[in-house]
Amino acid sequence: MINFTVGPVQMDEETRKMGMDQIPYFRTPEFSEIMKENEKLLCKFFDAPQDSRVIFMTGSGTASMEGGILNFFTPSDKLLVVNGGSFGHRLVELCQIHEIPFTEIKLEYGKALTKEILSEYENSGYTGMALQLCETSTGVLYDMNLVGDFCNRNGCFLFVDAVSGFLADKISMKTMHINAAITGSQKALALPPSMSFTVMDAEAQKRCYNNKVKSMYFNYADYLKNGERGQTPFTPAVGTLLMLNEKLRRIETNGGIEAMNKAAAERAQYFRSKISQLPFKLFTDKDSTSNCVTALMPTTPGVNAHKIFEIIKDEYGIWICPNGGDMAEKVFRVGHIGSITNEEIDKLVQVFEDLAKRKLI
Amino acid sequence: MINFTVGPVQMDEETRKMGMDQIPYFRTPEFSEIMKENEKLLCKFFDAPQDSRVIFMTGSGTASMEGGILNFFTPSDKLLVVNGGSFGHRLVELCQIHEIPFTEIKLEYGKALTKEILSEYENSGYTGMALQLCETSTGVLYDMNLVGDFCNRNGCFLFVDAVSGFLADKISMKTMHINAAITGSQKALALPPSMSFTVMDAEAQKRCYNNKVKSMYFNYADYLKNGERGQTPFTPAVGTLLMLNEKLRRIETNGGIEAMNKAAAERAQYFRSKISQLPFKLFTDKDSTSNCVTALMPTTPGVNAHKIFEIIKDEYGIWICPNGGDMAEKVFRVGHIGSITNEEIDKLVQVFEDLAKRKLI
């Protein structure tokens, strides 16, 4: 099967080989050293300010979304939450569950967050903001310079879910005034799903230490303390963390974050250039597309997006990425993260062309 | 390195080979079917009553300990919690964090929970009880028939942390009156760390549905609902779940749970018979030893248990399992779970003999 979903994605050969290895005992100085390097390189690739730290959470991206909302904010905060798709909606639900006061900026799905929309919330006493870098369900990349300037101007703590966006789209905690950002192992890092990571600046760490969190598993102060000696409070997915180390070092050797961003942009561009003649419409605002995924709407009346996913899976041995909820029958997605070649993209385009011939799209 | 820790443990060849495989997209009927089989086989191996269900949590064993305390109990409960080591202590802390009223039965570490101790709590209005099957930090196996009868007689909901004990020690939810039990991927299942599993009877499920949990990631009602179609609410460690399926099927083919229990008992016995001449004392009550681990105290004055761990790691390429906290300098452990051969045990015994010759133990 060729995998064009947005996670788990296709792993590199180097990562796969490590999957064969026995997993070492981890309460050792040897493993701590690897974790320290993981922390250093993640900080570097997020362009995090000095004294930033990383929390290594065994859990899906949602675990780190919830952990962030729980540790960075309190009921004394007043948040702006951008809901432009399922993952933005999840941030809204997390604020509701944890009783963090918030205002929801509900965008039409597929649309950008504009200066005009945001200007409504200037000087209104907001203390924090939470949103995705890339809203994976719609393929929208938010203008993080716009958001960062807003937060900086308004004294808002900025928490960014870059689970899918990291490595594919540009992110700089420094220039975008981001206090904390998360990513996941099974996205552009192309590791097995199991871990998510939170990079925090000094202010974010301070909030973790000051906040009384009603959870053991999500007690970030405990993770920060254990992290000082390169450890986690509980047994992490050790194998994935070793693969992370190999991957981060490889990125560093091969041109760093700029090279990763560039490759992702080229791959997304290559795919998009190939499908212009097909009966699909870009679901995402043209100037706000993320490099990590292309969201498409079939334009032929009666064609069901989820059915296309099923046919391609069952008849061609390829996974594209279906959507959930309201968008399930209207939108499907093609991911550009992980180890994907142009030849594989060509193959997918041929499948679409074949479906067109068969009058199935 | 040979690994005698209690997790991550040495994986079987069959599991390791699967580590090379690309990880499939999982929102498919194909993956759901595998998950349904995982659920069925875990219920079978826990000897769970009909209509039991399983929750697949991406996270360490502690995630499922916390999830259990959070979902099965409320501040209206009155719990008995057995604290016989670090993991029992963790249950105590979880009750404190989540404001579940409880009485702590604090055992001398290494000692059994006796009928006499338990009899003190008869007819005292307890609604639940939480404890380990095997307290991994001390190697004590609790008498679960005694506990189960107590809970049955007193109308207590019984929540058992069998993270390390499952497969190594006998557990039957039916005959031991257990309502919910957990285990982890990196223990006797010998898979990579990343997942933990909760088997629940009908009463446990009812509690999850009735309880209003202040968490998205630990909302078990949501896991139960998604599980009906063989899915999880959030991206799980898909690779580990596929390995779980292979392992459970292999156990089923090779004599089932009885054969696993027997092999674990034989391995523990083999190790213990070989060390009788060495300057170690069993830390655990002789009639209450778990098959999953042997906890030992050096008897030679001045010998530091943690130092033994370090020497064996650095000079002999073997990991035994150090203890944490108060026990760190007094107790070390040798695990018997995972893919360990008698030849490897012989090698470890030779190392101990060599240390004795070198007057280091």
Side-chain angles (χ1 to χ4, degrees), chain A residues 11 16 20 22 66 217, chain B residues 11 16 20 22 66 217:
Chain A
M11 301 183 288
R16 289 177 60 191
M20 276 280 292
Q22 289 289 8
E66 179 154 33
Y217 202 68
Chain B
M11 302 182 287
R16 290 177 62 190
M20 275 283 291
Q22 290 288 7
E66 178 155 32
Y217 202 67

Side-chain angles (χ1 to χ4, degrees), chain A residues 1 10 21 31 35 147 150 247 251 253 261 295 309:
Chain A
M1 298 285 295
Q10 293 182 169
D21 296 343
F31 186 68
M35 289 296 280
V147 170
F150 172 92
K247 178 81 185 207
I251 292 172
T253 311
N261 285 174
F309 159 75

Side-chain angles (χ1 to χ4, degrees), chain B residues 267-285:
Chain B
R267 200 155 49 208
Q269 192 42 46
Y270 183 79
F271 172 73
R272 288 167 194 165
S273 72
K274 292 266 172 174
I275 56 160
S276 52
Q277 301 307 311
L278 289 164
F280 300 139
K281 205 180 111 188
L282 257 184
F283 182 65
T284 316
D285 264 1

